[in-house]
């Protein structure tokens, strides 16, 4: 009875597992079909399971044949002692021919299934092997096209691993059998090696293993282009003239060993096999490690540069190719020490789009002011550009997504979580450079329902697919969907009319979805109808990765408003770690941003566009999945205008460039021209500077454009040496330029500018005063703005109450050369800094631009001096414990600050 119950339990578990897997398979097929990606689903399934089953069947057949060969020896049973023990225990009946065959069949099937399972993970390597695309670049060592290393070599390595596994497992199994059948002649004696048919059998398997090992040595030769030995990545002097020769010798020895095993079938000398294996191991250890180490230490290192120069050049060239650095255009930038109002007037696109709002304080502000309801959340703030009132404006925008975890616990019912609260609503969009009198952002798009200005339109604000949509929802049910709150107790409801979702339809589908999500209510709920549709895999990160897991994705998708609808744009990368001579960055050494992915926030459709048709990896993927990718020309023009150079790729290229901007192997070897990413302050921490999007009028171009920019400093120094800019607007999208500063003089870097701000007595006094008054000072990103061959530095300052509250944009710091000023607005700071430097004549139109009020610099300076004196005296009174005197001085300081405020109105 117990045995029957056990078998029933096991059978039930197997049945439920099978049904669950089948349900998942069927629903995934429906999901891919809904997204018009059914061919992608079947291509992957056929490749995965085709490779998995082929690997299993081949290993099973080979293992079974080898085990069956031992059956005759087992039936003869030369080990008399073991025979007597088996007979005494009554086990000899198990050794009947049919039972041995059945046992071998089961053992071969199970073991081969377990050990061939890894093959399925190589499905993409198989497809790339069958669909290569040429790079038309040859490696300098073997003269092979790069495509061999990217598309062929990884699959060859898999084949080697698989075949070696398929040979070693039967060798172990038949070896154990022969050892058991040929015991030592006397107790305690050494094990006897197989003889006769057993020796022949083992020798054939070993011959195959060593033949395969010879191929492995050949593959290792080819993999020398990925060597990490020496001063640079890739094959160097020691690899070519020492390690390669050892591998060639090992290859010959492995072939000789394979022949020796075949010959030994006729010689029947088991010890000869041990001697051969020992010789191969000795050459492998001594030659593969000791000899190259001796050459490296005693030949190469004493004259390293002379011997490695050629290979250093290979590393430089191929690394620059792999990361796209060879496409960069390099120019000189004079960084002049003069800048006038006339220069500012010539760059209105730059000055009118200086990004004052930092994304972190702005995100907090939006979550306080624009979330409207506690269950909405702004996860991230992105930077983009739009035409607003006919002007090219830089904006910051964020999606207002639904965060159901913020619903009150009593409201987190199944109906609310999956039928009623189904989508987010709209977005907030604000200009990067405008602020209200209260220090808060102004808006182009705001509120619920959405209020828009400047010609922007938002007709469909619902967000069913986003970054916070981690669960499934069911639409078109008897329960109306919550759209937005009209008043405190009145809500607006809606019904989904989009194209996404899988119809529930039949009872069977209900059962499958109930099993998929572990939710019985799907099966019994009366709120669901035949027209109800299930939306799942709604998180845009998971959604694109499920369709195309072979691509890498940027960590920062961004929202776009186009034709009154909302879309997500994600950057996707093709990568490989098999680009010869290219230094790895993490787990890859080649990267291209060849694909842009656009997801409709309402309909859920996902489109993959190839933006770099010259990328061989993208070409290969297009062949593998012919229906998945679209051409760039097919992308809607409104969305193409919002493409950005991806920040992740820019960061990678910038970090590689810190060393590989050098093309001379001598300078590269000495390391005398290393660069670094500048550092900046972020809420009291010193962190690497982040690249930032901005609108600039680049040197040599007539129109302002949206770009991504980052400066560089020399390694372990703080002055600036260059800046890198990626252009984002069509038709120049993807062009990267590198501007080099003069080496004969010092150009201030971000850290030096931060230090200069810290040392300014007026600014430090104001920061201290705010801190003592219970406010927390938050310094935003320091912006380095190239203007007419000069550099202007801008840093916003935010205030936040220590107990919490809204971060407010309180001041703007502007630095040019030796002058540092802080004012309430950028305009006032620019007026003050250039008044102090130039003292322009009143009314001069060239020096007094419109909308920038002129201030009495002398009176202003006197009041600042008085404020500093009052502050110093107040601090002195505080130290002496004279709190009455302290109060008098603080009151005096307040009066001076009020006067300053009046003058700057």
């Amino acid at each position: 009875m117990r045995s029957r119950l056990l078998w029933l339990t096991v059978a039930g578990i197997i049945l439920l597992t099978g049904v669950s897997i089948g349900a998942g398979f069927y629903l995934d097929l429906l999901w891919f079909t809904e997204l018009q990606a059914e061919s992608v689903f079947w291509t992957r399934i056929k490749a995965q399971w085709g490779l998995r089953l082929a690997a299993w069947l081949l290993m099973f057949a080979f293992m079974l044949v080898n085990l069956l060969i031992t059956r005759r020896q087992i039936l003869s049973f030369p080990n008399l002692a073991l025979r007597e023990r088996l007979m005494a225990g009554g086990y000899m009946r198990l050794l009947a021919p049919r039972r041995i065959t059945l046992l071998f069949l089961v053992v071969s099937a199970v073991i081969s299934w377990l050990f061939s399972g890894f093959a399925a993970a190589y499905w993409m390597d198989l497809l790339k092997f069958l669909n290569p695309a040429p790079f038309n670049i040859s490696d300098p060592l073997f003269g092979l096209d790069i495509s061999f290393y990217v598309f062929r070599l990884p699959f060859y390595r898999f084949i080697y691993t698989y075949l070696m596994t398929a040979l070693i497992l039967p060798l172990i199994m038949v070896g154990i059998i022969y050892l058991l059948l040929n015991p030592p002649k006397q107790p305690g004696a050494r094990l006897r090696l197989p003889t006769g048919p057993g020796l022949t059998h083992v020798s054939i398997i070993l011959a195959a293993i060593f033949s395969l090992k010879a191929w492995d040595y050949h593959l290792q030769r080819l993999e020398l282009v990925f060597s990490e030995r020496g001063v640079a990545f890739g094959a160097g002097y020691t690899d070519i003239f020492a390690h390669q020769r050892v591998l060639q010798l090992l290859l010959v020895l492995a072939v000789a060993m394979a022949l020796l095993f075949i010959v030994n079938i006729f010689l029947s000398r088991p010890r000869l096999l041990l001697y051969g294996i020992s010789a191969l191991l000795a050459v492998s250890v001594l030659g593969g490690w000791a000899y190259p180490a001796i050459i490296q230490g005693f030949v190469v290192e004493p004259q390293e540069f002379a011997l490695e120069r050629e290979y250093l050049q290979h590393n430089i060239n191929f690394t620059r190719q792999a990361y796209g650095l060879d496409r960069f255009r390099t120019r000189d930038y004079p960084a002049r020490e003069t800048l006038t109002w006339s220069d500012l007037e010539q760059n209105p696109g730059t000055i009118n789009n200086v990004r004052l709002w930092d994304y972190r304080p702005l995100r907090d502000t939006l979550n306080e002011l624009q979330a409207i309801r506690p269950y909405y959340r702004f996860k991230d703030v992105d930077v983009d550009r739009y035409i607003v009132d006919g002007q090219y404006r830089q904006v910051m925008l964020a999606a207002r997504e639904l965060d159901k975890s913020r619903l009150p616990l009593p409201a987190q019912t199944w109906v609310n979580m999956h039928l009623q609260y189904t989508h987010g609503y709209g977005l907030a969009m604000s200009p990067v450079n405008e602020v209200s009198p209260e220090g808060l952002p102004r808006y182009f798009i705001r509120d619920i329902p959405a209020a828009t200005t400047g010609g922007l339109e938002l007709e469909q604000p619902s967000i069913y697919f986003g970054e916070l949509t981690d669960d499934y929802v069911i639409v078109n049910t008897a329960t109306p969907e919550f759209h937005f709150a009209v008043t405190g107790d009145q809500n607006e409801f809606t019904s989904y009319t989009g194209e996404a979702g899988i119809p529930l339809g039949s009872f069977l589908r209900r059962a499958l979805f109930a099993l998929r999500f572990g939710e019985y209510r799907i099966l019994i709920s009366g709120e669901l109808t035949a027209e109800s549709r299930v939306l799942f895999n709604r998180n845009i990160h998971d959604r694109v990765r499920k369709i195309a897991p072979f691509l890498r994705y940027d960590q920062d998708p961004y929202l776009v408003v186009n034709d009154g609808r909302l879309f997500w744009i994600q950057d996707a990368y093709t990568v490989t770690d098999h680009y010869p001579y290219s230094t790895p960055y993490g787990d890859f050494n080649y990267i291209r941003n060849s694909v842009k992915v656009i997801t409709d926030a309402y309909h859920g459709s996902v489109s993959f566009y190839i933006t770099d048709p010259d990328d061989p990896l993208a070409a290969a993927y297009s062949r593998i999945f012919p229906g998945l990718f679209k051409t760039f020309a097919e992308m809607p023009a409104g969305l193409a205008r919002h493409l950005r150079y991806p920040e992740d790729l820019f960061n990678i290229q910038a970090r590689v460039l810190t060393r590989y901007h050098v093309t001379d192997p001598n300078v590269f070897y000495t390391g005398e021209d290393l660069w670094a990413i500048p550092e900046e302050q972020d809420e009291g921490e010193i962190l690497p500077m982040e690249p930032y999007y901005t609108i600039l009028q680049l040197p040599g171009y007539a129109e302002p454009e949206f770009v991504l920019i980052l400066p560089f400093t020399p390694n372990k120094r703080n002055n600036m040496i260059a800046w890198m800019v990626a252009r984002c607007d069509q038709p120049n999208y993807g062009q990267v330029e590198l501007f080099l500063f003069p080496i004969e003089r010092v150009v201030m870097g971000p850290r030096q500018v931060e230090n200069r701000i810290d040392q300014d007595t007026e600014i430090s006094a104001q920061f201290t005063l705010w801190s003592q008054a219970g406010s927390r000072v938050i310094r935003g990103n320091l912006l380095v703005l190239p203007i007419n061959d000069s550099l202007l530095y801008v840093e916003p300052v935010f205030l936040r109450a220590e107990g919490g509250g809204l971060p407010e944009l309180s001041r703007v710091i502007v630095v040019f050369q030796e002058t540092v000023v802080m004012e309430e607005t950028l305009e006032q700071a620019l007026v003050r800094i250039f008044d102090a430097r130039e003292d322009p004549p009143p009314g001069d139109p060239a020096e007094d631009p419109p909308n920038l009020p002129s201030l009495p610099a002398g009176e202003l300076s006197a009041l600042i001096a008085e404020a500093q004196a009052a502050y110093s005296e107040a601090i002195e009174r505080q130290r002496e414990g004279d709190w009455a005197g302290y109060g008098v001085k603080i009151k005096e300081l307040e009066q001076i600050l009020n006067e300053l405020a009046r003058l700057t109105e």
Side-chain angles (χ1 to χ4, degrees):
M1 185 66 184
R2 290 183 180 179
S3 176
R4 179 179 297 179
L5 182 61
L6 177 63
W7 280 110
L8 287 174
T9 303
V10 171
I13 292 174
I14 293 174
L15 179 63
L16 286 175
T17 302
V19 171
S20 179
I21 293 173
F25 179 88
Y26 177 66
L27 294 179
D28 280 345
L29 175 59
L30 293 179
W31 186 83
F32 275 89
T33 303
E34 174 217 336
L35 290 172
Q36 300 179 355
E38 185 179 359
S39 63
V40 177
F41 176 82
W42 285 118
T43 298
R44 178 175 180 177
I45 290 296
K46 287 187 289 187
Q48 278 185 318
W49 283 99
L51 188 58
R52 175 74 171 88
L53 292 175
W56 172 56
L57 290 174
L58 287 173
M59 188 178 291
F60 164 71
F62 185 74
M63 188 176 296
L64 180 61
V65 167
N66 278 275
L67 288 175
L68 289 176
I69 290 173
T70 68
R71 187 174 61 172
R72 179 177 297 179
Q73 293 292 310
I74 294 174
L75 292 175
S76 66
F77 224 110
N79 190 338
L80 299 179
L82 182 58
R83 177 194 287 266
E84 291 177 0
R85 287 198 296 269
L86 292 175
M87 291 180 65
Y91 296 110
M92 281 301 294
R93 66 180 185 275
L94 298 177
L95 299 181
R98 287 187 177 181
R99 291 188 175 183
I100 292 176
T101 302
L102 180 60
L103 176 64
F104 284 169
L105 190 68
V106 172
V107 169
S108 298
V110 172
I111 293 180
S112 60
W113 177 260
L114 294 175
F115 281 89
S116 63
F118 73 97
Y122 291 85
W123 66 277
M124 181 50 69
D125 287 335
L126 169 63
L127 294 177
K128 288 194 292 186
F129 178 83
L130 298 174
N131 298 274
F135 279 74
N136 297 318
I137 301 172
S138 298
D139 82 275
L141 183 56
F142 301 108
L144 299 172
D145 190 89
I146 303 300
S147 61
F148 170 82
Y149 297 98
V150 174
F151 298 111
R152 303 284 191 185
L153 188 56
F155 193 67
Y156 287 152
R157 180 50 71 186
F158 157 72
I159 292 175
Y160 166 77
T161 303
Y162 168 76
L163 291 178
M164 187 60 74
T165 304
L167 287 169
I168 288 178
L169 286 174
L171 176 66
I172 293 172
M173 297 170 72
V174 301
I176 292 174
I177 291 173
Y178 289 130
L179 287 174
L180 289 175
L181 294 177
N182 292 275
K185 293 183 177 180
Q186 297 179 357
R190 290 182 299 176
L191 290 174
R192 294 176 59 195
L193 295 176
T195 57
L199 177 61
T200 300
H201 188 185
V202 171
S203 295
I204 292 174
I205 298 177
L206 286 171
I209 288 176
F210 278 91
S211 298
L212 188 61
K213 189 61 182 176
W215 187 46
D216 174 47
Y217 290 132
H218 173 66
L219 295 180
Q220 288 186 46
R221 280 186 64 239
L222 297 174
E223 290 169 342
L224 287 176
V225 294
F226 310 121
S227 172
E228 298 181 8
R229 190 201 316 267
V231 294
F233 189 84
Y237 183 91
T238 300
D239 296 304
I240 295 172
F241 293 101
H243 196 186
Q244 181 176 212
R245 292 175 179 175
V246 171
L247 290 173
Q248 291 170 333
L249 175 60
L250 288 171
L251 188 153
V252 172
L253 286 175
V255 172
M257 283 297 304
L259 295 174
L260 182 61
F261 280 114
I262 298 297
V263 171
N264 196 57
I265 295 174
F266 307 98
L267 296 179
S268 297
R269 295 182 181 178
R271 294 187 181 277
L272 189 61
L273 306 182
L274 294 179
Y275 296 151
I277 294 173
S278 299
L280 186 65
L281 290 175
V283 173
S284 178
V285 173
L286 296 177
W289 175 80
Y291 178 61
I294 291 171
I295 295 298
Q296 181 70 25
F298 293 95
V299 177
V300 175
E301 291 183 3
Q303 46 184 338
E304 191 168 49
F305 177 70
L307 296 179
E308 299 280 17
R309 179 188 178 93
E310 176 185 354
Y311 313 111
L312 281 171
Q313 190 67 66
H314 296 331
N315 173 251
I316 293 170
N317 294 342
F318 280 78
T319 299
R320 288 174 59 83
Q321 291 170 11
Y323 294 96
L325 308 186
D326 59 329
R327 304 178 179 185
F328 291 6
R329 179 186 176 190
T330 301
R331 289 198 276 162
D332 291 329
Y333 191 81
R336 293 189 297 112
E337 298 180 354
T338 58
L339 189 66
T340 66
W341 274 121
S342 178
D343 294 320
L344 299 184
E345 288 180 327
Q346 293 171 19
N347 292 267
T350 301
I351 297 301
N352 293 334
N353 287 282
V354 175
R355 181 167 65 84
L356 300 181
W357 280 101
D358 187 278
Y359 69 90
R360 284 158 292 210
L362 181 60
R363 180 181 59 201
D364 295 340
T365 299
L366 293 179
N367 277 311
E368 289 288 340
L369 298 180
Q370 280 296 304
I372 311 297
R373 289 291 186 267
Y375 38 78
Y376 288 123
R377 180 158 71 93
F378 294 94
K379 181 180 184 295
D380 191 21
V381 177
D382 295 302
V383 182
D384 204 348
R385 69 286 198 196
Y386 286 80
I387 301 298
V388 181
D389 283 331
Q391 294 185 344
Y392 188 56
R393 299 295 301 272
Q394 185 179 358
V395 303
M396 303 185 82
L397 69 163
R400 186 185 291 106
E401 294 199 62
L402 183 64
D403 186 352
K404 299 177 189 177
S405 66
R406 297 188 174 191
L407 286 171
L409 285 178
Q412 293 185 20
T413 64
W414 181 77
V415 169
N416 278 342
M417 298 291 280
H418 298 287
L419 307 187
Q420 188 161 96
Y421 289 92
T422 58
H423 58 277
Y425 187 96
L427 74 156
M429 179 189 293
S430 60
V432 298
N433 63 332
E434 294 185 19
V435 60
S436 71
E438 297 80 19
L440 302 175
R442 298 185 185 274
Y443 299 98
F444 290 149
I445 301 178
R446 60 179 298 168
D447 296 343
I448 300 177
T452 64
T453 60
L456 297 171
E457 297 180 354
L458 185 59
E459 298 173 358
Q460 181 49 267
S462 301
I463 301 176
Y464 283 84
F465 301 87
E467 294 188 86
L468 297 178
T469 49
D470 296 321
D471 61 348
Y472 71 92
V473 296
I474 305 177
V475 297
N476 298 337
T477 67
T479 301
E481 296 176 50
F482 173 79
H483 199 35
F484 60 84
V486 179
T487 61
D489 57 354
Q490 184 178 357
N491 296 330
E492 180 79 15
F493 294 92
T494 187
S495 180
Y496 182 70
T497 59
E499 302 170 356
I502 298 174
L504 270 179
S506 64
F507 179 81
L508 177 60
R509 281 201 184 175
R510 280 201 184 198
L512 293 177
F513 276 113
L515 184 63
R516 171 71 176 262
F517 299 122
E519 180 51 71
Y520 70 92
R521 295 179 183 88
I522 297 177
L523 198 60
I524 64 174
S525 175
E527 298 296 303
L528 308 183
T529 69
E531 289 73 34
S532 298
R533 305 173 71 87
V534 182
L535 279 60
F536 61 104
N537 294 331
R538 297 190 302 135
N539 186 295
I540 58 172
H541 295 278
D542 301 334
R543 198 170 182 82
V544 298
R545 285 168 175 81
K546 189 173 182 66
I547 298 173
F550 46 86
L551 297 174
R552 295 285 182 93
Y553 294 92
D554 196 273
Q555 63 181 350
D556 184 27
Y558 57 99
L559 193 69
V560 170
V561 182
N562 182 56
D563 291 338
R565 295 166 54 199
L566 299 176
F567 299 86
W568 295 96
I569 297 183
Q570 292 176 269
D571 288 282
Y573 308 106
T574 56
V575 300
T576 181
D577 59 353
H578 274 72
Y579 200 91
Y581 276 101
S582 174
T583 299
Y585 184 93
D587 61 347
F588 57 85
N589 67 350
Y590 171 94
I591 184 170
R592 290 289 185 273
N593 174 219
S594 300
V595 181
K596 302 287 185 179
V597 188
I598 297 179
T599 304
D600 191 312
Y602 186 72
H603 295 290
S605 59
V606 182
S607 299
F608 293 78
Y609 296 92
I610 291 184
T611 56
D612 185 0
D614 296 329
D615 174 27
L617 278 168
Y621 293 142
S622 296
R623 295 178 185 178
I624 296 170
F625 306 103
L628 178 61
F629 297 97
K630 301 177 182 179
T631 65
F632 177 65
E634 296 177 83
M635 182 184 294
L639 293 173
R641 284 193 291 270
H642 290 281
L643 295 184
R644 307 186 314 186
Y645 198 90
E647 194 170 341
D648 282 358
L649 176 62
F650 192 83
N651 268 318
I652 292 168
Q653 290 176 320
R655 279 156 176 77
V656 175
L657 191 69
T658 57
R659 189 177 185 192
Y660 286 92
H661 65 278
V662 175
T663 57
D664 185 304
N666 192 7
V667 178
F668 184 90
Y669 177 75
T670 59
E672 63 186 60
D673 191 20
L674 295 178
W675 291 356
I677 305 299
E679 295 178 330
E680 64 174 347
Q681 289 191 29
D682 180 15
E683 298 192 26
E685 294 184 61
I686 302 300
L687 299 173
M689 190 173 188
E690 297 178 350
Y692 50 91
Y693 293 100
T694 188
I695 291 180
L696 282 181
Q697 187 170 329
L698 293 173
Y701 301 106
E703 298 295 330
E705 54 187 296
F706 189 66
V707 299
L708 182 60
I709 187 173
L710 181 69
F712 294 94
T713 63
N715 190 40
K716 298 181 179 179
R717 292 171 58 192
N718 292 324
N719 61 290
M720 201 146 52
I721 193 71
W723 58 282
M724 172 178 157
V725 60
R727 306 172 72 184
C728 300
D729 290 342
Q730 304 294 338
N732 303 308
Y733 174 83
Q735 296 179 10
V736 180
E737 300 194 21
L738 188 64
F739 293 86
L740 305 178
F741 293 136
I743 60 174
E744 63 271 11
R745 59 187 176 84
V746 173
V747 177
M748 283 195 303
R751 186 70 182 276
Q752 292 172 320
V753 173
E754 296 273 15
N755 292 338
R756 185 155 292 181
I757 293 172
D758 292 337
Q759 294 165 4
D760 186 276
T761 55
E762 176 188 350
I763 294 175
S764 61
Q766 184 63 65
F767 284 176
T768 303
L769 183 61
W770 280 328
S771 298
Q772 291 179 342
S775 295
R776 180 183 173 193
V777 178
I778 303 172
R779 293 166 65 170
N781 291 128
L782 177 68
L783 306 180
V784 183
L785 302 177
I787 301 177
N788 276 26
D789 293 337
S790 296
L791 292 174
L792 190 68
Y793 306 85
V794 178
E795 182 176 83
V797 178
F798 301 87
L799 289 184
R800 185 179 216 162
E802 285 291 353
L806 295 176
E808 299 176 1
L809 179 56
S810 180
R811 296 290 188 274
V812 179
I813 299 173
V814 177
V815 181
F816 180 70
Q817 295 298 321
E818 303 296 327
T819 309
V820 181
V821 300
M822 182 174 72
E823 291 294 337
E824 290 187 3
T825 66
L826 174 64
E827 291 81 1
Q828 293 172 356
L830 292 174
V831 167
R832 181 178 166 194
I833 199 170
F834 287 103
D835 276 356
R837 291 179 60 82
E838 301 176 31
D839 195 20
D844 186 341
E847 302 294 348
D848 193 11
N851 301 324
L852 297 181
S854 181
L855 297 179
E859 184 177 352
L860 184 65
S861 300
L863 285 172
I864 291 172
E866 291 180 18
Q868 291 173 334
Y871 171 76
S872 299
E873 292 181 18
I875 295 299
E876 186 64 28
R877 297 289 190 276
Q878 184 187 41
R879 290 172 181 167
E880 295 174 355
D882 182 5
W883 296 105
Y886 173 78
V888 170
K889 290 301 177 183
I890 289 297
K891 185 67 175 177
E892 182 181 335
L893 179 59
E894 180 184 2
Q895 294 172 352
I896 297 170
L897 292 176
N898 288 337
E899 180 65 16
L900 281 169
R902 184 187 66 79
L903 289 174
T904 56
E905 289 178 353

